[in-house]
Amino acid sequence: MNFTQAFKLAVTSLRTSKMRALLTMLGIIIGVGAVIVIISLGNGLTGMVEQQVEKVGVTQIYAYTWGMGDGSTGNITPDEMYAFTDSHPELFDGITPWVTGGQGVRSGSEEYKKTNIYGVSEAMYRPQTGTTLDGDRLEKGRYLQYVDIATRNSVCVVGAYVEQVILGGDAIGRTIAIGGVPYTVVGVLAQENDTLTEGGGDDQVFIPYPNAMSLSGTGYVSLYQLTATSRDAVAEAQALLLAFLQDFYHDEAGEQVYNWYYAQSMLDQVNQINALMGIAMAVLVAIAGISLLVGGIGIMNIMLVSVTERTREIGIRKSLGAKQRDIRRQFIIEAGTTSAIGGLLGIAFGCLLAVGIGTIFGGMLVQSMGASGITFNATPTLGAILVSFGVSVGIGVLFGYLPANKAARLNPIDALRYD
């Protein structure tokens, strides 16, 4: 008996008992469908992370410095950080200090206490993309320039909430009071969130960082955002930055103190997120694999029943010259066919479910994140489909071997006498 004949017999057997065959396949269908959904959603989340990174830029490096002693003395200064990056133009494309200038602005007689104030440099803006290093798009006017930083000009760039709610629209050239000092609005960022809320992501003001340092009353900067010249230069630039910080921060005994500084690149964050997502997906796929195991046991059980029901048939085949390998192959192909059909149904079920869940879940996720321009795509990949189908067929063959071997080893005389 060749493969084609064995396959036709397997299909005939399944058609004879459709309900039993469907129930046998159910574990495979659920397991394969669950694997497809989990992998699709995981790929969708990974794609969202990659889109967000591309929006912000993979060349970003963040340096956190907390200073020595009480945190107000012995800390690295912006001038020293600028001198460091200027000495390595092949690795660093720019640097901006980040200073929190507190909260609260005044427009006329009204005070808005939740508006976030940040101090940055001109390097925060990327003219080639028209966005900031954080991905915010400049909609009107200009961003802070070098002359504003050097001369501590009282100018600012505001978010959409400040323009539309606090200033009532058309903010360019208007003034708001920050720390009792009038600041002229020279630029407006595009609205990022669907709704404008007080204290939200659009309720922010950017001023020259020296001005923010005066507002905060501190003489140091605890966060620097550096930009590498290219993605390939990130690792080398980060290593050089860490070496520079290690040389700067020493205790009285001359030992390096690592808890006074920290440096992390955007690529580090992406790798960490992907690693965590990979672990979570592996655990979920393993849990879904339990359904495949249950499905395999179901196939083995029904094949054992089938062997018992067809004992006389097996005896007739053997008496007509069928060898053990022929009988074994027949039942293995039947088990593999059952699991393969279940795998195909599971793939169809999983693809439909993945697209449906991805549409609903992705829309909710993007809306909750307020991430404009970011999409969630949970379309199953060809690799996931092929792997799921291969595993389903393998499960059937593996769990079908024991019943097939039992059938092959039946004594033909006993089989013919079986009632």
Side-chain angles (χ1 to χ4, degrees):
M1 180 184 295
N2 57 32
F3 176 84
T4 303
Q5 291 174 320
F7 178 75
K8 289 180 178 179
L9 284 174
V11 173
T12 302
S13 177
L14 293 175
R15 292 175 62 184
T16 302
S17 303
K18 297 183 180 65
M19 182 56 68
R20 187 172 73 174
L22 179 61
L23 294 175
T24 303
M25 300 173 189
L26 193 57
I28 298 293
I29 294 172
I30 294 174
V32 170
V35 170
I36 293 289
V37 171
I38 290 169
I39 294 178
S40 299
L41 294 179
N43 290 336
L45 290 172
T46 302
M48 281 192 67
V49 172
E50 292 177 352
Q51 290 178 59
Q52 187 66 33
V53 170
E54 290 297 330
K55 179 181 177 181
V56 175
V58 295
T59 59
Q60 306 305 312
I61 304 173
Y62 302 91
Y64 303 86
T65 60
W66 294 283
M68 295 177 281
D70 62 0
S72 62
T73 59
N75 199 6
I76 196 166
T77 65
D79 290 341
E80 290 169 318
M81 287 293 290
Y82 271 104
F84 164 70
T85 56
D86 289 344
S87 63
H88 300 283
E90 74 284 359
L91 295 176
F92 295 99
D93 192 41
I95 178 175
T96 176
W98 263 90
V99 182
T100 300
Q103 291 180 314
V105 300
R106 179 180 291 274
S107 177
S109 60
E110 296 292 330
E111 185 176 2
Y112 302 86
K113 297 182 179 180
K114 294 185 179 181
T115 302
N116 298 297
I117 302 169
Y118 302 108
V120 295
S121 75
E122 77 285 353
M124 185 66 186
Y125 181 66
R126 297 176 291 187
Q128 63 274 21
T129 62
T131 62
T132 67
L133 296 181
D134 287 343
D136 296 326
R137 181 172 56 85
L138 184 65
E139 188 174 66
K140 299 178 182 179
R142 65 173 178 86
Y143 205 78
L144 301 177
Q145 298 176 348
Y146 173 78
V147 65
D148 299 322
I149 312 301
T151 60
R152 300 192 178 192
N153 282 348
S154 297
V155 294
C156 63
V157 176
V158 301
Y161 180 90
V162 178
E163 180 187 45
Q164 297 181 30
V165 177
I166 296 180
L167 294 176
D170 194 17
I172 300 297
R174 306 275 295 278
T175 61
I176 55 175
I178 303 175
V181 178
Y183 278 74
T184 302
V185 177
V186 295
V188 178
L189 299 175
Q191 182 175 337
E192 286 295 311
N193 299 321
D194 293 334
T195 58
L196 296 175
T197 57
E198 186 179 5
D202 291 301
D203 188 12
Q204 54 187 348
V205 176
F206 293 90
I207 63 177
Y209 77 86
N211 303 35
M213 292 175 68
S214 299
L215 279 174
S216 63
T218 60
Y220 66 97
V221 176
S222 58
L223 171 62
Y224 295 89
Q225 191 169 352
L226 301 88
T227 307
T229 53
S230 66
R231 184 182 188 132
D232 295 335
V234 170
E236 185 178 355
Q238 184 178 358
L240 192 64
L241 173 63
L242 283 171
F244 171 70
L245 294 175
Q246 288 171 5
D247 290 338
F248 183 86
Y249 290 103
H250 295 81
D251 61 14
E252 295 180 356
E255 298 292 332
Q256 295 171 354
V257 183
Y258 298 98
N259 59 353
W260 287 343
Y261 63 91
Y262 178 68
Q264 184 181 47
S265 67
M266 184 62 71
L267 285 177
D268 290 337
Q269 298 181 26
V270 172
N271 292 334
Q272 291 175 5
I273 293 173
N274 287 340
L276 291 174
M277 289 178 57
I279 294 173
M281 286 180 59
V283 172
L284 292 175
V285 168
I287 295 174
I290 296 176
S291 296
L292 291 173
L293 180 62
V294 173
I297 295 174
I299 289 176
M300 182 171 63
N301 180 58
I302 206 66
M303 291 304 298
L304 286 171
V305 173
S306 179
V307 169
T308 302
E309 292 176 344
R310 296 158 62 185
T311 300
R312 184 180 292 275
E313 175 190 331
I314 295 170
I316 294 173
R317 290 183 183 280
K318 283 199 168 187
S319 66
L320 294 176
K323 301 180 182 299
Q324 285 191 6
R325 64 172 178 268
D326 297 323
I327 302 298
R328 184 182 296 110
R329 180 171 56 192
Q330 175 188 345
F331 280 90
I332 287 177
I333 291 174
E334 185 171 327
T337 301
T338 303
S339 61
I341 295 174
L344 291 174
L345 293 175
I347 289 171
F349 168 70
C351 290
L352 291 175
L353 193 60
V355 173
I357 293 178
T359 301
I360 299 172
F361 174 72
M364 294 172 57
L365 184 61
V366 171
Q367 184 176 6
S368 64
M369 292 177 60
S372 61
I374 302 297
T375 59
F376 183 89
N377 185 10
T379 303
T381 61
L382 179 61
I385 292 174
L386 293 178
V387 169
S388 299
F389 180 74
V391 170
S392 66
V393 174
I395 287 287
V397 172
L398 178 64
F399 282 87
Y401 181 80
L402 178 63
N405 194 52
K406 178 183 177 181
R409 297 178 64 179
L410 284 175
N411 186 292
I413 297 176
D414 294 335
L416 286 170
R417 296 173 58 186
Y418 183 81
D419 187 5

